[in-house]
Amino acid sequence: MHAASGSRLGASHPRQEGPVDLRLVPPALAAWATAAWTLDAPPRVVGGVVLLCGIVAGILLSGWGSGARGVPMVAGGGASPGGAGGATPGSGARPSGGTGNLSPDGPPDQSPDGPGDRSSQGTRVRSRDGTGDRSPTGTSPLSPEGPRSRSPGRSSGWPAGARYEWSRMSGAALLLCVAAAGVSAGLHGADLRRGPVPVLAREYATVTAEVELTSDPRLTRPRVSGDHVTPDSVLVDGQVRSVAVDGAARTETRAPVLVVVDVRDRAGPDGGRPAGVGRGARQAWLGLLPSTRVRVTGRLAPALTGGDRIAAVLRVRDRGAGAVPVVVRKPSAPQRAAGRLRAGLREATDGLPTDARALLPGLVVGDTSRITPELDEAFKETDLAHTLAVSGSNLTIMLALLLGPPGLAQHVERRGLAPRLGIPLRTTALLGGALTLGFVVVCRPDPSVLRAAACGAVVLLALATGRRRSLIPALATAVLLLVLYDPWLARSYGFLLSVLATGALLTLAPRWSTALRRRGLPPRLAEALAAAGAAQALCAPVVAVLSARVSLVAVPCNLLVEFAVAPATVLGFTTLATAPWAMPAAKASAWLASWPAEWIAGVARTGAALPGAGVDWPGGWGGALLLALATAVAVPLGRRLLRRPWLCAACAALLLLAVVRPTPLTRVLTGWPPPGWRLAMCDVGQGDATVLAAGDGTGVVVDAGPDPALVDRCLDRLGITRIPLVVLTHFHADHVAGLPGVLRGRTVGAIETTGFAEPVDQVAFVRREAEAGEVPLVRAVAGERRRLGSLDWEVLWPPARQVPEPEGPNDASVTLLVRSAGIRMLLLGDLEPPGQQALARSPAAARWAGVDVLKVAHHGSAYQDPDLIRAVAPRLALISAGADNPYGHPAPGTVAALRATGAVVLRTDRDGALAVVGAGGRLRVARD
């Protein structure tokens, strides 16, 4: 112990730490499991469990030492831990006298500082030889080996009777925790079943309700559904306090609900700019604060999945002013103050670069409203998402700034702001409590913030006292109290990750840091690497459950951002505090904070852009168990590798190659992309994304698919870094929503689109992305021809002016005839029979008959022109479709018609990504 100090007693701490105290861990875990199970259990089952546990616990407590095994009773039915005639475990009291001591945190005569360590005067102390000698100062003598903690399982100092009694008391405590968790979970679960709201939800009734908001309103992320993006919705948690149906009398109730407000922007009369009806309702909802009570009219519906913490979903439709909430009661004073602080922070960051403007509110108060889906995906890919949410690290940084460096908080030489200002220790503690309370209020007192405050306080206490081992009981206590306060946390993955990360910092990280320092690493680097590695080791299996993916860059990325998180957080909180009073000073502080914030965002984007940033992993708890076993095997191997530097260097080089994945090496190992490939069809789900090879690292991209991450990954694997032209055949979301992934980290010359500008929301999206990437937009017109090396193509459709005007975007799809190394390929976009027939009547019809490769229109839907299929008569037909898509693509009739012409039909939903290889009359298809 205290190995780094060179002294067995430590450089400045005469106290020694005993073994980890795990006695509170079983009750905490039992309460956690009970809460998770009983939340939706039948009331009779919950009542039976609680009653049974209460009865058994009562029997154990009432029978505590009742003359059995020679342990006398004291008033209240408990056994005297050190009374006359009774020997307690480890107390050192003689049967004939002495005053024993039962510590509230441990077995008798075991203080938090180790057994035999007493500061009270005149207390009998048991020495290591069991003589019960009394130190002149009231403290126990120390042996050369230092004191050791005695556990109930050890025979020394623990007679059999004492061990038996202690086991009974521990069992009673565990059962009482189970009963308390069952009561709390039963009451919370009953909120979902009682009252009129669940009944009305099953009837899909339209109601007028008064709802008290319990969270900040938030916008949903855009999601591609088929060929369109789902409309924006505002989500807010709340409690229905009264409800009325069809003008009937109001019924008072209390039921948790999720309010979903559809606030889509409607096109104006000219089909261009939104009319603003949805925008007004959206702003009205987004401006509300927690604790506000509003009156709304909407339709109740049951929750989509069982086990949710809501009794129903209240959907408010956008029908003019009907979607605008009527405020019945204003928010509370603390929430208004917190709202002013948060609004000031947003205003102070308005002029910052895009990433810093989005990231700072998230770092400080968990406000992620400005985080783009692309940036959010980058943080998830690198396991940096914890920096975007309110976490215990935010509070720890601020309290450490107040209290000073770790381990000095209770010393005369303590540092930090408080001692520099001459603030006494007790006053500093009060200020720390006030800061914690303010943190909870400003960041909203919802379960995630309470969890962060509790876990952050535990980590801070470990740092301040320098005794991480003894903080395991504190973590168990925090878990127990939080689960009893809000049993829904027992089913929260976020709560599980917080507890695992905190436990890793308290247990594994100190040991790993010591081992790394012994290998010659600098202390700070060793601590940072140990903390990141320990948290990743324990949290990775849970992350794999959620994402079915394991990040290979998580530890390096967390190390790279660690030194930037603290200044960004401190400067961010400075901005938060000064914005309501001195906006110029707040903007200056925000500008300073933007530098570390930009660094954090840059690390996330760079790490996510690496081809091998993550590997697919089996999802579910089976995959988590497999990853946990792999980690358990890898850790001992890692210890052995540390003794052989050359092996460490070799493993680091292999990991670097796996992450960077140089295209030549990847091609040798996997065969993808195949040498001489001419066309590649990416597997992007239910959408289209095709790449035409145009030289080393260069390709023309035709459509971008529905998901930026999927098309980005496909282009990475193909080694595409330069894109002279992106062709978007039409503006449906399954062809354009992935455009940010195409533009990410690549040089793009231009974006070519159809002239039919619908749907307007996706047209606006493409224009925004092109403007942000400084990429020019051009229009494709029939007759246009281009050439890049051995690749050339011609635009066959649409004409400059379509007569009659197409019925929708599909029939305005850009159609290309491509030639590469003697291979002729026809790309039809999403043309439907009217457009296909018009194309067949065009002057270019004779040029595409008998092509080698056909990209089948509209994901192989049944809506095809059979005459076109017969006229094209391709040797190879490629279909891009998503696995198990709800549209039945590709249609069996279309596949049969293609095969009837002699074509080989391949599809991405079954065959994955496809690459066409060959020259002249020879064709070969490779699968990824």
Side-chain angles (χ1 to χ4, degrees), residues 772-792:
E774 299 180 351
V775 180
L777 280 171
V778 296
R779 179 182 174 185
V781 179
E784 170 193 332
R785 299 197 64 170
R786 296 186 183 229
R787 184 179 185 87
L788 281 172
S790 63
L791 174 70
D792 73 84

Side-chain angles (χ1 to χ4, degrees), residues 54-81:
I55 292 174
V56 177
I59 293 174
L60 291 175
L61 291 175
S62 63
W64 171 252
S66 55
R69 304 184 184 265
V71 180
M73 298 294 295
V74 297
S80 172

Side-chain angles (χ1 to χ4, degrees), residues 315-640:
R315 183 173 292 276
V316 181
R317 299 288 185 181
D318 179 10
R319 288 179 173 82
V324 178
V326 177
V327 176
V328 177
R329 192 186 69 187
K330 294 182 178 181
S332 62
Q335 290 296 345
R336 288 199 300 270
R340 285 194 295 270
L341 289 172
R342 293 166 69 101
L345 176 62
R346 287 193 294 268
E347 182 182 351
T349 57
D350 278 341
L352 299 180
T354 304
D355 283 347
R357 177 178 176 271
L359 188 56
L360 268 179
L363 280 171
V364 178
V365 295
D367 181 359
T368 59
S369 58
R370 292 174 172 175
I371 300 292
T372 62
E374 180 191 5
L375 184 60
D376 184 56
E377 184 64 30
F379 274 80
K380 290 178 179 177
E381 188 74 17
T382 53
D383 278 2
L384 291 175
H386 60 88
T387 62
L388 296 179
V390 176
S391 65
S393 61
N394 301 60
L395 181 62
T396 301
I397 290 170
M398 297 308 299
L399 289 179
L401 180 67
L402 178 69
L403 299 175
L408 297 180
Q410 296 179 344
H411 293 259
V412 175
E413 62 270 24
R414 64 193 178 98
R415 301 173 188 171
L417 291 178
R420 293 181 184 275
L421 297 176
I423 302 175
L425 184 59
R426 292 184 179 179
T427 307
T428 302
L430 293 177
L431 288 177
L435 183 61
T436 303
L437 180 62
F439 170 82
V440 172
V441 172
V442 172
C443 299
R444 310 304 193 209
D446 54 35
S448 64
V449 177
L450 295 176
R451 179 189 71 233
C455 292
V458 169
V459 174
L460 176 69
L461 187 57
L463 294 175
T465 61
R467 301 182 56 204
R468 293 175 174 87
R469 292 184 183 180
S470 62
L471 265 297
I472 293 297
L475 176 61
T477 302
V479 170
L480 179 60
L481 295 178
L482 286 172
V483 168
L484 293 179
Y485 172 77
D486 184 5
W488 290 104
L489 287 175
R491 293 185 176 183
S492 168
Y493 285 104
F495 181 68
L496 177 59
L497 288 171
S498 289
V499 173
L500 289 176
T502 307
L505 295 178
L506 298 179
T507 55
L508 294 180
R511 299 179 181 179
W512 292 8
S513 175
T514 301
L516 291 174
R517 287 199 303 270
R518 289 173 180 169
R519 301 299 188 275
L521 262 68
R524 290 190 177 182
L525 178 59
E527 289 182 3
L529 184 59
Q536 181 70 13
L538 290 190
C539 295
V542 181
V543 175
V545 172
L546 302 175
S547 62
R549 193 166 174 81
V550 176
S551 175
L552 298 181
V553 298
V555 173
C557 286
N558 275 275
L559 286 175
L560 289 173
V561 305
E562 182 175 359
F563 74 91
V565 170
T569 302
V570 172
L571 291 169
F573 271 102
T574 302
T575 304
L576 178 76
T578 57
W581 324 107
M583 185 55 68
K587 289 187 175 182
S589 176
W591 180 79
L592 292 174
S594 68
W595 290 88
E598 284 285 309
W599 170 262
I600 294 171
V603 170
R605 290 186 183 277
T606 303
L610 294 171
V615 294
D616 294 331
W617 193 267
W621 289 107
L625 179 60
L626 180 62
L627 182 57
L629 292 175
T631 304
V633 172
V635 169
L637 292 178
R639 291 179 180 175
R640 296 186 178 184

